[in-house]
Amino acid sequence: MAHDHERFKQDLSELDAGFIRVLEDLIDALIANGSLRLTDLPPQALEKLAERKRTRQRLQGALNLISDDDAIL
């Protein structure tokens, strides 16, 4: 029973992570089409969005094994 509870918590955490990415993409799309302005969001939300973007960019840079300038044979 306790094992099931922990598994459900893990499943929910994984779903939350995916849903957060969907929300980020939605916010970006709304900003891009002019339906939402960054100034419409509270400062705490702006900081959290900015931190996630910075973290994702650092991760993407760390995973970029071949830079765009490298020649591919």
Side-chain angles (χ1 to χ4, degrees):
M1 192 88 141
H3 178 70
D4 288 341
H5 182 72
E6 287 304 314
R7 180 66 187 150
F8 291 142
K9 283 173 51 177
Q10 182 180 353
D11 289 347
L12 186 58
S13 290
E14 290 172 10
L15 289 169
D16 285 350
F19 188 67
I20 288 167
R21 183 57 198 261
V22 169
L23 289 176
E24 282 184 88
D25 291 346
L26 176 62
I27 290 168
D28 288 344
L30 291 172
I31 289 170
N33 76 16
S35 297
L36 179 70
R37 296 178 305 228
L38 284 175
T39 56
D40 293 336
L41 299 172
Q44 299 87 347
L46 289 173
E47 181 54 38
K48 288 180 183 192
L49 282 169
E51 182 60 30
R52 282 192 54 85
K53 285 184 184 292
R54 285 190 298 267
T55 302
R56 245 190 5 253
Q57 287 172 347
R58 284 194 305 264
L59 179 62
Q60 184 178 10
L63 295 177
N64 189 8
L65 301 177
I66 301 175
S67 73
D68 292 337
D69 297 334
D70 290 343
I72 299 177
L73 300 177

